[in-house]
Structure formats: C-alpha cells, structure tokens
C-alpha cells in the first residue's frame, strides 16, 4: 500500500499543478482580453479625438467667416499686389472680388497657386479657403501624426510583453502536459 499511496499523492500533486497552470492560463487569457480592450479603446479614443479636432477646425473657420460682419470698403481702397495677397490673414468677399474680379478667377488662383480645391461653389467657401491657413493645417496634421505614432509605439510594446507572457505560459503548459502523460500511461 505504500507505493500506491505515494503514487496517488504524486499524481494528486501533479494534478494540482495542472489545475494551477490552467488557472494561470485563464488569468493570462483574461489579461489578454483586457489589454485587447484597452488597445481597442485607445484606438477609438484616437479616432474620436482626430474627428473632433477636424470638426473643431472646420467649424471654427466656418464660424469666423459667417459670423464676422462684412465691412464696406473704404473709398481710398487700392487693390492688393501679389505679395500682399499671399501674406494676408483675413479675407472678405469684397476684398477677393476687388482683386480677382470673378469667382472663377479666385477659384483658379486657389487651385493654381495654393493647390486648394473648393468642394462647394460660392464666395463663402472661397473666402474660407483663403482664410484657412494651409501652413497651420499642415502643422496640426504633423502633430496629430506624431501623437498617433507615439500611441502605436506604446501599443506595440504592450503587445510584445503580452506575447512574451503567452509564450512562457505555453511552455509551462507543455511541461505540465508532458508530466501528466508520464503518469497516465496506458
């Protein structure tokens, strides 16, 4: 009876280790699911932040153009030269009409010189495009890209850590399976 008792104790001990290994795998699976949720949530937050920034940029520019009263031109108004036109920071419909004469000419200038296509017809949209500040938009885009690259880098590191843990757990599980197979010989 001594050998049978010892064998049963050893088998019970190994089964306990297997049970702990299974429990550890369940914990790792739960942690992996939680981290996947964290990564997905970070991606969604990044997307929402990007969309919100785009919406705010668009609405601020539209509100500035539509909310500011159009001022009458002074009687001593002189047309702007090309240098003044490119460096001005605020445009009105009257200023653009006086310089370009027609909507088509102003729109052509946007396309040819600034590389901007106005998607909707109308002077309001051309004015908004002139007031947009292409350089500022590019800087904001660069900042957003840098932030997204940082988030992606952090997520890659998290994924690498989780993959390492998963590999370690798989190795432990294989060891436990081999041990169990030694005691459960047919």
């Amino acid at each position: 009876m001594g050998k049978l008792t010892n064998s049963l104790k050893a088998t019970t001990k190994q089964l306990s280790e297997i049970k702990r290994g299974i429990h550890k795998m369940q914990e790792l699976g739960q942690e992996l699911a939680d981290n996947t949720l964290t990564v997905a949530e970070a991606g969604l937050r990044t997307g929402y932040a990007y969309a919100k920034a785009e919406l705010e940029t668009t609405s601020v520019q539209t509100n500035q153009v539509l909310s500011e009263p159009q001022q009458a031109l002074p009687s001593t108004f002189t047309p702007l030269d090309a240098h003044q036109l490119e460096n001005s920071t605020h445009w009105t419909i009257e200023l653009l009409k006086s310089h370009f004469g027609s909507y088509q000419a102003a729109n052509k200038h946007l396309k040819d010189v600034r590389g901007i296509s106005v998607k909707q017809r109308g002077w309001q949209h051309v004015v908004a495009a002139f007031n947009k500040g292409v350089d500022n938009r590019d800087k904001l885009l660069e900042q957003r890209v840098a932030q997204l690259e940082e988030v992606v880098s952090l997520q890659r590191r998290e994924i690498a850590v989780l993959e390492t843990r998963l590999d370690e757990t798989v190795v432990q599980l294989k060891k436990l399976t081999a041990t169990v197979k030694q005691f459960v010989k047919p």
Side-chain angles (χ1 to χ4, degrees):
M1 277 246 186
K3 285 186 175 182
L4 184 59
T5 305
N6 290 339
S7 176
L8 285 175
K9 284 182 183 180
T11 304
T12 303
K13 182 179 176 183
Q14 289 177 349
L15 287 175
S16 295
E17 289 175 14
I18 291 173
K19 188 175 179 180
R20 277 184 281 177
I22 291 171
H23 181 68
K24 197 171 188 177
M25 286 290 290
Q26 288 172 337
E27 287 176 352
L28 185 61
Q30 184 61 41
E31 187 176 335
L32 184 61
D34 291 344
N35 286 333
T36 302
L37 179 63
T38 302
V39 169
E41 183 181 8
L44 286 173
R45 284 185 182 180
T46 303
Y48 286 135
Y50 180 81
K52 185 178 177 183
E54 283 293 317
L55 181 63
E56 289 174 357
T57 301
T58 304
S59 66
V60 165
Q61 292 167 353
T62 304
N63 288 340
Q64 285 176 346
V65 170
L66 298 177
S67 66
E68 295 176 6
Q70 303 298 322
Q71 301 171 351
L73 294 174
S75 59
T76 60
F77 177 76
T78 56
L80 300 171
D81 65 13
H83 178 70
Q84 290 170 319
L85 181 65
E86 291 303 316
N87 294 326
S88 182
T89 57
H90 180 71
W91 294 98
T92 63
I93 292 173
E94 288 80 12
L95 284 172
L96 290 175
K97 281 183 180 179
S98 70
H99 185 74
F100 291 106
S102 70
Y103 169 82
Q104 287 80 15
N107 197 17
K108 184 174 182 339
H109 175 80
L110 279 174
K111 285 181 185 176
D112 295 344
V113 176
R114 294 191 177 188
I116 299 173
S117 294
V118 179
K119 293 181 178 157
Q120 296 176 329
R121 282 188 59 82
W123 277 106
Q124 298 88 353
H125 302 291
V126 172
V127 169
F130 270 94
N131 289 330
K132 195 173 219 175
V134 177
D135 294 334
N136 290 339
R137 185 184 69 198
D138 290 342
K139 288 178 185 174
L140 291 174
L141 183 59
E142 288 174 9
Q143 289 173 349
R144 283 187 239 144
V145 168
Q147 288 172 345
L148 289 173
E149 286 175 347
E150 185 177 329
V151 168
V152 168
S153 175
L154 290 172
Q155 290 174 349
R156 282 184 180 161
R157 281 186 238 139
E158 273 188 62
I159 290 170
V161 167
L162 291 174
E163 286 176 342
T164 303
R165 286 183 186 171
L166 183 62
D167 291 341
E168 290 171 355
T169 305
V170 167
V171 168
Q172 288 177 351
L173 187 60
K174 285 181 180 179
K175 286 179 183 178
L176 290 173
T177 304
T179 305
V180 168
K181 284 182 180 178
Q182 286 178 352
F183 288 104
V184 184
K185 291 183 180 177

